[in-house]
Amino acid sequence: MEKKIRVRFAPSPTGGLHLGGVRTALYNYLFAKQHRGSFILRIEDTDQSRFVAGAEEYIYETLRWCGLEPDESPLHGGPFAPYRQSERKKIYREYAERLVHAGQAYIAFDTPEELEAMRSKHRTATNPSPQYDHQTRTHMRNSLSLAPMETKKLLEAGAPHVIRIRMPDNETLQLNDMIRGQVEFNTSLVDDKVLLKADNMPTYHLAVVVDDFLMQVTHAFRGEEWLPSAPVHLLLWRYLFGEEKMPAWAHFPLILKPDGNGKLSKRDSDRLGIPIFAMDWKDPASGEIISGFREKGFLPEAFVNLLAVLGWNDGTEQELYSLTELVEKFSIERVHKAGAKFNYEKAKWFNQEWIRKISVEELSFIVRKIYNQYSLHIPDEIFLRSVILLIRDRCHLLPEFYTQGRFFFEAPRQWDTESISTKWNAAKTAFFISYIEKFQDISEWNAYNLETVFKELAASQKIKAGELQLPFRVMLVGEKSGPPVFDIAGLLGKSETSKRINNLLALTENW
Ligand code: GLU
């Protein structure tokens, strides 16, 4: 029997989830579901200094909103619990010590001051940030440079220490990446990363390898920013569990600024006024809010869709995919190597398409909530759906259902009179007075009949219907824009239409 596919999304709860993070979750999910495997959420919270309250809940809510429910997680439980690394603390030390005994890692006692002294001593123009590595380690205070007795004494005295990997000198390591193919690394270029910190907490490097092993992860997919540390992970696999047990790797491309100039960052969100997080994130310390797609008015279907194609396509022209369809068509091999530029206009296009695509039932559920927020009175479900059908092609973002549709629920209190007042005359007033009279007898109140009566009346009074339509629209909407004007009147009904005509006629008396 083939081995069950197990993938993990392993975020650190340090703040909101940006596009890249959610895309990593999505690709993991798609791969898992496609192979009837398990999608694991592991919370990588070993760096306590970066702990941010609320960040973990934010992750659950984002995944729920996107429909990417994990099979195993701190919340969902599972056979390999706990799934929060801070709760697995006691597991890691043993592995780090095993490496020390084998000479593949060592104990380092350097204080922050000593580390800084090393950096300033070795800092040159060509080497602005000297590393703790094969060149410098011999000058530092660690179990490689100190006599064994001295190390022992320090340990017995409880001297604070970390455990570092001993990167081999000048070895070439090869990693087979499912997207990038063979990637080579020279071990001399990689520093002796800390594996276990003084507080006994592992660093990401040790924890990720140990947990991927213990949780039987078969495929490890993550962002490209982790590629430089891959050689460390590869060695840890080799030393601890054997490379043949290692999961298959893939590193997803970066998401770039709209102009392609570097990685999309939080700052771009402010600078360009675009969301880059899944949902609004309020930093508990600074109170700063980074805007998210959900609050901007994106449908989760659209968000998932636009993320999926940021760095992947199925080789056809198709752009719109449902989650179910993505599960069927996604393939890691077709994920691009090059970074994907984020285009907000295109993102809104996806949302508009999805607003058109989902059923009016679903949409009315969502739009009702928006209208409720603004305390608009919704007479009945049929009316609401009719409004939605009239305006939905005009909406890119959900809040536009309010701006584009509010006049159906409340008569305008302000009018764009500028566009009509200069050309106003008594003939127009007379026209609208007789229009109200005429439409009293319309047998069936609908857009077609309203338009017919309007045009016949205009012809009989020798006024161009075109010149009357704009005022009529301003009467009903308050503005020059909106769906076809007779459709609007058709929905508003006889008495409301009369009322709105009269409201504006009252104003024209002063023109
Ligand atoms: N904890 C890492 C992060 O925050 C996860 C990287 C990985 O998936 O291995 O991005």
Side-chain angles (χ1 to χ4, degrees), residues 148-159:
M149 267 315 285
E150 214 170 327
T151 300
K152 197 163 168 254
K153 255 199 321 212
L154 280 168
L155 285 178
E156 278 166 5

Side-chain angles (χ1 to χ4, degrees), residues 8 10-12 44 204 208 221-222 226:
R8 85 294 189 284
S12 298
E44 302 209 323
Y204 164 64
V208 73
F221 304 148
R222 58 186 180 185
W226 295 106

Side-chain angles (χ1 to χ4, degrees), residues 171-204:
E171 232 183 76
T172 302
L173 297 180
Q174 282 189 341
L175 181 86
N176 193 7
D177 184 286
M178 290 172 79
I179 299 169
R180 285 149 218 276
Q182 288 287 338
V183 189
E184 289 198 349
F185 303 88
N186 184 315
T187 53
S188 294
L189 300 175
V190 185
D191 60 326
D192 290 353
K193 296 247 183 279
V194 172
L195 302 177
L196 197 79
K197 292 179 280 186
D199 62 0
N200 251 329
M201 270 291 198
T203 58
Y204 164 64

Side-chain angles (χ1 to χ4, degrees), residues 309-377:
V309 299
L310 260 178
W312 168 85
N313 67 45
D314 71 354
T316 70
E317 297 287 298
Q318 185 174 347
E319 290 186 288
L320 296 175
Y321 299 91
S322 67
L323 189 58
T324 323
E325 212 176 339
L326 285 169
V327 168
E328 203 183 295
K329 299 202 168 156
F330 180 73
S331 72
I332 292 287
E333 289 76 12
R334 290 202 60 89
V335 173
H336 311 154
K337 282 199 219 47
K341 278 189 221 166
F342 175 63
N343 176 340
Y344 188 50
E345 291 313 310
K346 185 75 196 216
K348 285 197 284 190
W349 175 85
F350 275 106
N351 205 46
Q352 185 185 33
E353 291 297 320
W354 273 98
I355 285 176
R356 289 187 180 139
K357 232 167 127 78
I358 63 171
S359 70
V360 66
E361 287 80 3
E362 283 173 271
L363 204 50
S364 96
F365 182 76
I366 298 164
V367 174
R368 183 179 280 276
K369 279 203 248 169
I370 300 176
Y371 288 167
N372 285 342
Q373 269 168 20
Y374 289 99
S375 309
L376 295 186
H377 170 69

